[in-house]
Amino acid sequence: MKETAYLKCINPYCGLEYDIKNTNITCEKNHFLDVQYDNIPSIELKELFYRRRNYRDNIFNESGVWRFRELLNFCQINTSDIKSCSKYLVSLDGIEGKQSKPYRMSKVADFIGLRHNKLLLQLEGYNPSGSFKDNGMSSAITHAKLVGATKIICASTGNTSASAGMYTANENMECYVYIPNEQIASGKLSQAYQFGTKVIKVSGNFDDAFLKSLDDAKKINAYTVNSVNPFRIEGQKTIIYRLLEYLNWDVPDWIVYPGGALGNASSCGKCLMELYKWQWIKKIPRLVIVNAEGAKTLYDLYNGEFDNTKLRWNDGKPNLELLDRYYKYLNENQIKPNTTATAIQINKPANILKCIRALEFTDGIVTKVSDSEMLDGMAIVGLNGFDCELASGAVPAGIKKLVDAEIIKNDDLVSGILTGRQKDPSLFVEYHSNRKNRFAVTPIDYTSLE
Ligand SMILES: *Cc1c(COP(=O)(O)O)cnc(C)c1O
Ligand SMILES: [Zn+2]
């Protein structure tokens, strides 16, 4: 008998299916997997999700992730039975996703050149470990628990390890984190230690650390929680549920993310594909991914900047040879990802195929910004009284670029995801100490007041 939730290969010409307790990242032909649900959720759930915000002692209603548990019920439990929820669902006492909703930021809107009511910025940094990763980590660790895993493993530019460390500490699991030497914000590294993870320092960049962690995962039989894990993608769908709920399940014209390993982009695409199929939404927002200029694989391939061929999902027949050729070109020319925004300093984005599927479904756009543009983006969010890190600064910077180019129109409703909180406080001191920076509020020496 077929279960109602299972794993399915994303390649429509392959379509192999697996039991939900499978822990492979790909099908046997090496294609990525999606979590699939046969049941079409009742549209009346919208009311239930809203009521749960008044949670009354139920941490799974309080949680901004598990409040939507009917839409990611891969454990196939009775979602109204709190005992089943407690037994299966992993939550940090209901706190993940709880404060993250869209906010208005007038100064950021002015900087971008949009009317104040046309810009919504969602603060995913206001999650317990300080980034959007907590949305997907609660669901990935839930799956790890479902399959009886006790060892968790990941490679990380910082926020993944912070989040994995936090949940595994709370669940009493072992956690191994592979960290690229010297390319991680001190505040993020400190969290890996704080939560008692086993920190493994790898010389090289994130891409190197990631490959090593995948190899070792097999050796020590550990469960991988990088965003190649399809259950991470499920939890991250709730970022979009909260945005749409805020808009009474209307959709914005644009949804904008910074692009690193492209898990978020993939998750957004899958979320919209499902909602559209269930007819919960009638219109599809357009997805924008913002790469750093120093780590722009997606930008190059999607826009045909590399030998004039555009990488497209192409209904499930992407040009994989082009992708191979690009990676070969990076290797042969020793091109390393290079940006101060370490969270998106990734040249081999593991989720690129799921991401181009999302871009195809949403008629998406990929743009790129410089480190100095990201710094201004981050600074203006700060001057608006909110906190975000440099990679998140790519969002206002990228939106501004598209507004200037009149690709995003004045009347469009734009929502951007500010992915993480500032964990490298020296960045603000440096930025504001240098009066050449656009938004610098320079410190005053006491003597100069005399
Ligand atoms: C992980 C991370 C990103 C990149 O997200 P992907 O899903 O890997 O593209 C961007 N910003 C912050 C703050 C992150 O922690
Ligand atoms: Zn397959």
Side-chain angles (χ1 to χ4, degrees):
M1 199 192 74
K2 199 160 146 186
E3 312 250 311
T4 59
Y6 51 98
L7 287 154
K8 187 174 168 120
C9 166
I10 65 167
N11 181 324
Y13 304 93
C14 171
L16 284 168
E17 293 179 4
Y18 298 90
D19 187 89
I20 204 73
K21 290 199 179 169
N22 187 296
T23 56
N24 289 341
I25 290 159
T26 63
C27 80
E28 53 222 59
K29 293 184 190 152
N30 248 351
H31 310 126
F32 269 40
L33 300 172
D34 269 339
V35 182
Q36 282 285 332
Y37 307 98
D38 277 346
N39 298 336
I40 294 189
S42 155
I43 203 147
E44 278 153 35
L45 286 168
K46 288 178 178 178
E47 297 291 323
L48 177 66
F49 298 156
Y50 195 77
R51 276 204 314 277
R52 280 180 180 162
R53 302 205 306 176
N54 224 335
Y55 41 85
R56 295 195 183 83
D57 297 334
N58 180 335
I59 64 161
F60 304 103
N61 292 351
E62 186 178 354
S63 165
V65 171
W66 297 117
R67 186 154 67 78
F68 299 99
R69 55 192 175 272
E70 284 76 9
L71 307 187
L72 53 153
N73 189 15
F74 53 82
C75 292
Q76 300 166 90
I77 56 173
N78 176 354
T79 48
S80 55
D81 174 23
I82 186 160
K83 282 207 190 98
S84 297
C85 291
S86 304
K87 184 168 166 210
Y88 286 93
L89 307 181
V90 170
S91 171
L92 202 83
D93 255 340
I95 208 173
E96 59 279 326
K98 195 178 153 197
Q99 310 212 52
S100 80
K101 63 166 187 78
Y103 292 81
R104 292 192 194 285
M105 299 188 197
S106 54
K107 287 183 191 167
V108 184
D110 289 342
F111 162 61
I112 289 172
L114 280 173
R115 289 207 302 280
H116 295 177
N117 62 351
K118 291 294 181 186
L119 179 71
L120 293 169
L121 293 169
Q122 187 154 323
L123 292 164
E124 290 299 322
Y126 290 36
N127 260 299
S129 83
S131 81
F132 78 84
K133 301 292 198 296
D134 296 340
N135 292 287
M137 203 56 72
S138 58
S139 53
I141 302 293
T142 293
H143 185 254
K145 203 166 132 182
L146 181 73
V147 303
T150 56
K151 283 182 196 157
I152 301 299
I153 192 169
C154 64
S156 179
T157 60
N159 281 334
T160 299
S161 54
S163 185
M166 182 183 76
Y167 280 102
T168 51
N170 199 240
E171 292 292 320
N172 208 13
M173 291 169 160
E174 265 185 281
C175 187
Y176 297 79
V177 301
Y178 287 56
I179 280 172
N181 235 348
E182 292 170 21
Q183 289 179 357
I184 172 168
S186 62
K188 297 178 183 176
L189 184 59
S190 137
Q191 285 179 291
Y193 284 97
Q194 175 184 14
F195 297 127
T197 69
K198 297 191 170 48
V199 175
I200 292 119
K201 297 181 187 171
V202 181
S203 66
N205 54 44
F206 170 81
D207 299 316
D208 303 318
F210 180 50
L211 289 179
K212 291 210 165 67
S213 83
L214 288 181
D215 277 350
D216 289 356
K218 288 190 203 121
K219 286 185 203 148
I220 62 168
N221 191 25
Y223 181 98
T224 294
V225 293
N226 281 96
S227 55
V228 292
N229 178 321
F231 298 92
R232 273 269 309 268
I233 303 293
E234 290 306 290
Q236 286 168 213
K237 293 190 303 190
T238 64
I239 296 172
I240 301 301
Y241 298 150
R242 294 191 295 270
L243 165 66
L244 299 187
E245 184 181 63
Y246 178 89
L247 296 171
N248 287 318
W249 297 89
D250 230 338
V251 298
D253 296 293
W254 302 90
I255 300 178
V256 186
Y257 289 97
L262 304 174
N264 249 340
S266 305
S267 173
C268 177
K270 180 166 189 274
C271 172
L272 296 172
M273 282 157 67
E274 288 174 343
L275 292 175
Y276 192 74
K277 185 175 105 193
W278 304 333
Q279 300 186 3
W280 284 40
I281 59 171
K282 305 280 183 292
K283 206 187 98 185
I284 303 165
R286 294 181 72 186
L287 179 60
V288 175
I289 305 302
V290 188
N291 268 167
E293 278 180 0
K296 58 178 178 49
T297 296
L298 180 69
Y299 176 87
D300 280 350
L301 289 174
Y302 191 70
N303 295 318
E305 298 283 317
F306 178 70
D307 81 4
N308 292 320
T309 332
K310 293 182 178 175
L311 182 67
R312 288 291 182 274
W313 174 242
N314 194 20
D315 241 346
K317 286 187 179 152
N319 185 347
L320 296 178
E321 186 271 332
L322 172 65
L323 190 60
D324 283 347
R325 203 142 35 85
Y326 186 81
Y327 286 166
K328 214 170 138 212
Y329 150 82
L330 291 182
N331 290 343
E332 279 172 2
N333 296 285
Q334 298 197 5
I335 298 171
K336 307 281 180 208
N338 180 20
T339 163
T340 320
T342 49
I344 54 173
Q345 189 178 40
I346 294 175
N347 259 356
K348 295 180 179 163
N351 286 295
I352 193 162
L353 294 179
K354 280 187 175 176
C355 174
I356 57 173
R357 180 178 66 166
L359 288 166
E360 175 171 285
F361 182 71
T362 61
D363 189 18
I365 288 188
V366 183
T367 186
K368 65 176 164 91
V369 294
S370 67
D371 283 15
S372 108
E373 289 169 314
M374 274 188 261
L375 276 167
D376 288 339
M378 177 187 82
I380 192 66
V381 169
L383 293 175
N384 221 130
F386 291 100
D387 182 38
C388 77
E389 71 157 83
L390 189 55
S392 312
V395 168
I399 299 172
K400 180 170 171 48
K401 210 157 232 186
L402 297 176
V403 168
D404 288 348
E406 295 179 18
I407 294 168
I408 293 180
K409 307 279 186 252
N410 275 332
D411 264 349
D412 291 350
L413 179 62
V414 186
S415 53
I417 312 297
L418 300 180
T419 44
R421 280 196 89 138
Q422 186 56 253
K423 297 180 184 177
D424 186 357
S426 66
L427 268 186
F428 279 124
V429 178
E430 271 169 42
Y431 182 90
H432 286 290
S433 298
N434 181 349
R435 59 184 83 245
K436 288 204 192 105
N437 283 325
R438 176 165 183 162
F439 298 116
V441 185
T442 48
I444 301 165
D445 257 340
Y446 180 70
T447 50
S448 73
L449 280 179
E450 290 173 340

Coordinates of all heavy atoms in Angstrom, one line a residue, residues 137 140-141 144 149-154 164 168 173-177 222-225:
M137 N 15.9 23.5 9.7 CA 16.6 22.5 10.6 C 15.6 21.8 11.5 O 15.7 20.6 11.7 CB 17.6 23.3 11.4 CG 18.7 22.4 11.9 SD 19.6 21.5 10.6 CE 20.5 22.8 9.8
A140 N 14.3 19.1 9.3 CA 15.4 18.0 8.9 C 15.7 17.2 10.2 O 15.8 16.0 10.1 CB 16.6 18.7 8.4
I141 N 15.8 17.8 11.3 CA 16.1 17.0 12.5 C 14.9 16.1 12.9 O 15.0 15.1 13.4 CB 16.5 17.9 13.7 CG1 17.7 18.8 13.3 CG2 16.8 17.1 15.0 CD1 19.0 18.0 13.1
A144 N 15.4 13.2 10.8 CA 16.5 12.4 11.4 C 16.0 11.6 12.5 O 16.3 10.4 12.6 CB 17.6 13.4 11.9
A149 N 18.2 8.4 13.4 CA 19.6 8.8 13.3 C 20.0 9.4 14.7 O 19.3 10.1 15.4 CB 19.8 9.9 12.2
T150 N 21.3 9.2 15.0 CA 21.8 9.8 16.3 C 23.0 10.8 16.0 O 23.3 11.6 16.9 CB 22.3 8.7 17.3 OG1 23.3 7.9 16.6 CG2 21.1 7.9 17.7
K151 N 23.6 10.6 14.8 CA 24.7 11.5 14.5 C 24.3 12.4 13.3 O 23.8 12.0 12.3 CB 25.9 10.7 14.0 CG 26.7 10.0 15.1 CD 27.9 9.3 14.4 CE 28.4 8.3 15.4 NZ 29.2 7.2 14.7
I152 N 24.5 13.7 13.5 CA 24.1 14.7 12.5 C 25.4 15.3 12.0 O 26.3 15.5 12.7 CB 23.2 15.8 13.2 CG1 22.0 15.2 13.8 CG2 22.9 16.9 12.2 CD1 21.0 14.5 12.8
I153 N 25.4 15.6 10.7 CA 26.6 16.1 10.1 C 26.3 17.2 9.1 O 25.2 17.2 8.4 CB 27.5 15.0 9.4 CG1 28.9 15.5 9.0 CG2 26.7 14.5 8.1 CD1 29.8 14.3 8.6
C154 N 27.1 18.3 9.0 CA 26.9 19.3 7.9 C 28.2 20.0 7.7 O 29.1 20.0 8.5 CB 25.8 20.3 8.4 SG 26.3 21.3 9.8
A164 N 22.1 23.7 13.4 CA 22.2 22.3 13.6 C 22.6 22.0 15.1 O 22.1 21.2 15.8 CB 23.1 21.6 12.6
T168 N 20.5 20.0 17.8 CA 21.0 18.7 18.3 C 21.3 18.8 19.8 O 21.2 17.8 20.5 CB 22.3 18.3 17.5 OG1 23.2 19.4 17.5 CG2 21.9 17.9 16.1
M173 N 21.5 14.9 20.5 CA 22.2 14.1 19.4 C 23.6 14.6 19.3 O 24.0 15.7 19.7 CB 21.5 14.4 18.1 CG 20.0 13.8 18.0 SD 19.3 14.5 16.5 CE 18.0 13.4 16.2
E174 N 24.4 13.8 18.6 CA 25.8 14.3 18.3 C 25.8 15.1 17.0 O 25.1 14.8 16.1 CB 26.7 13.0 18.0 CG 27.5 12.6 19.2 CD 28.4 11.4 18.8 OE1 27.9 10.3 18.7 OE2 29.6 11.7 18.6
C175 N 26.7 16.1 16.9 CA 26.7 17.0 15.8 C 28.1 17.2 15.3 O 28.9 17.7 16.1 CB 26.0 18.3 16.1 SG 25.7 19.3 14.7
Y176 N 28.4 16.9 14.0 CA 29.7 17.2 13.4 C 29.6 18.3 12.4 O 28.8 18.2 11.5 CB 30.2 15.9 12.7 CG 30.4 14.7 13.6 CD1 29.4 13.9 14.0 CD2 31.7 14.4 14.1 CE1 29.6 12.8 14.9 CE2 31.9 13.3 14.9 CZ 30.8 12.5 15.3 OH 31.0 11.4 16.1
V177 N 30.4 19.4 12.6 CA 30.3 20.5 11.6 C 31.6 20.7 11.0 O 32.7 20.9 11.6 CB 29.7 21.8 12.2 CG1 28.3 21.5 12.8 CG2 30.6 22.3 13.3
A222 N 26.4 9.1 9.4 CA 25.8 10.3 9.9 C 24.8 10.9 9.0 O 24.8 10.6 7.8 CB 26.9 11.4 10.2
Y223 N 23.8 11.6 9.5 CA 22.7 12.1 8.7 C 23.0 13.6 8.3 O 23.3 14.4 9.2 CB 21.5 12.1 9.6 CG 20.2 12.6 9.0 CD1 19.3 11.7 8.4 CD2 19.9 13.9 9.0 CE1 18.1 12.1 7.9 CE2 18.7 14.4 8.4 CZ 17.8 13.5 7.8 OH 16.7 13.9 7.2
T224 N 23.0 13.8 7.0 CA 23.4 15.1 6.5 C 22.3 16.2 6.5 O 21.2 15.9 6.1 CB 23.9 15.0 5.0 OG1 25.1 14.2 5.0 CG2 24.1 16.3 4.4
V225 N 22.5 17.3 7.1 CA 21.5 18.4 7.2 C 21.8 19.6 6.4 O 21.3 20.7 6.6 CB 21.2 18.8 8.6 CG1 20.5 17.6 9.4 CG2 22.4 19.3 9.4

